[in-house]
Amino acid sequence: MKNMIYRLSSKIIQKDHEYMVQTVNDTSCGAVRSTLYADGVPAESIALPHPAGSGAEEVLSFVNLTHNERKQELEVLLKACDQHAEEGDPRMIYHLGTALYYKGLYGEARDLL
């Protein structure tokens, strides 16, 4: 496979925070790396290895799929946090705060909890 580099970025602005999901084909380690930034600071990063023998189109498809999943996951989490913060259900707030914490969004977790 030719060493093609694919990079996708999506920005989500909510309240006074800016989130960015950046996904790239990391040719140095044969993986797709997706990083979540909160206000410019890296919060969470994952690396998913390419399937063995992947061609350029398969890698591009994997980058797109990974990026879209990570972006949608963040959007759903942030929307749920807003919704349940208003409703005030302590169990849901606890679970959402824990999810934010494990994503590296410590300030958001603290504010919610």
Side-chain angles (χ1 to χ4, degrees), residues 36-55:
L36 168 62
Y37 295 88
D39 297 324
V41 178
E44 180 188 50
S45 186
I46 62 167
L48 304 168
H50 299 155
S54 298

Side-chain angles (χ1 to χ4, degrees), residues 27-61:
T27 58
S28 67
C29 65
V32 171
R33 181 169 305 280
S34 187
T35 305
L36 168 62
Y37 295 88
D39 297 324
V41 178
E44 180 188 50
S45 186
I46 62 167
L48 304 168
H50 299 155
S54 298
E57 285 190 28
E58 292 152 324
V59 171
L60 176 58
S61 178

Side-chain angles (χ1 to χ4, degrees), residues 41-77:
V41 178
E44 180 188 50
S45 186
I46 62 167
L48 304 168
H50 299 155
S54 298
E57 285 190 28
E58 292 152 324
V59 171
L60 176 58
S61 178
F62 192 46
V63 168
N64 280 322
L65 177 66
T66 301
H67 183 77
N68 290 334
E69 285 177 352
R70 300 272 292 158
K71 180 180 176 232
Q72 183 179 17
E73 178 183 274
L74 178 62
E75 290 171 335
V76 167
L77 179 59

